[in-house]
Amino acid sequence: MKRIFIVEDEPDLAENLGDILKNSGHEIVGNEEEGEKAYQLILESKPDLILMDVMLKGEIDGIQLAKSVSEKLEVPIIFITAHSDQKYLERISGLKYDSFLLKPFTKEVLITTVNLTFLKYLNKKVTKNILNIRDKGFLVPIDEDNIIMLKADGLYTRIYTIARQYVIRDILKDVIGKLSEKKFIRIHKSYLINLDYVTGFNAKEVTIASFTAPIRRGFFKELGVLLVERLNN
């Protein structure tokens, strides 16, 4: 039995989702329609999974709420939305999330998506890789899933994460061997990127979350193949 928190601004749909999931053996630990209230309740209840509607009541939407929650808790998030507009997809693509449900969806699709998300999350935790760096005299463990990209800076390497940027006294070549080769790809002599954060690319550059990096000549087709393989895994 997993503990699930539902953030949904349609009360009838939220109740229906809760009933389906409870009948499937899960526990509903919270149900809220306002982003501000949901944030506090999620931090208090520490659920195993969040069903997150994109459009919410209050001053913050589900995308903003997911970003705030992810900075405090490591929890899988399934976005729910009736909107497939490009602007929403672009905002969501810049976040770390686990699955996506487009309204309307069936009971079977909901149950399958929730169960698969739990399985993917468990597998990810088992294979988690931590990069240990030194920052201002302290040893800092960084989950590689939170690393967006790395950039060579002379004898140093800049590490861009979801929360902040680090500069370490190691050349990029030495750092590469410490990261998962299936997740991180060197697209240029000075850039190593996390494929999970790629939001677009062309023959000259790649967009990774809110950053842009040059792509090495002739790598365009290969990168496309790698991204498709990543999506299918």
Side-chain angles (χ1 to χ4, degrees), residues 49-109:
L49 181 141
I50 301 171
L51 286 177
M52 181 77 75
D53 191 10
V54 170
M55 301 301 292
L56 300 175
K57 293 182 179 179
E59 296 184 0
I60 65 174
D61 62 19
I63 301 174
Q64 294 168 300
L65 176 57
K67 184 177 184 299
S68 297
V69 168
S70 296
E71 291 173 353
K72 297 290 184 179
L73 297 177
E74 185 178 0
V75 56
I77 296 173
I78 299 176
F79 278 115
I80 304 175
T81 183
H83 301 277
S84 57
D85 296 351
Q86 188 65 26
K87 64 178 181 179
Y88 290 107
L89 298 178
E90 288 176 354
R91 289 182 62 203
I92 291 173
S93 67
L95 294 177
K96 194 71 175 175
Y97 69 98
D98 295 87
S99 197
F100 188 93
L101 284 170
L102 187 63
K103 299 176 184 177
F105 49 84
T106 65
K107 168 185 173 181
E108 290 74 22
V109 168

Side-chain angles (χ1 to χ4, degrees), residues 6 9 22 29 55 134 155 197 224:
I6 299 172
D9 72 343
K22 282 187 283 187
V29 297
M55 301 301 292
R134 288 201 170 275
L155 297 177
Y197 289 95

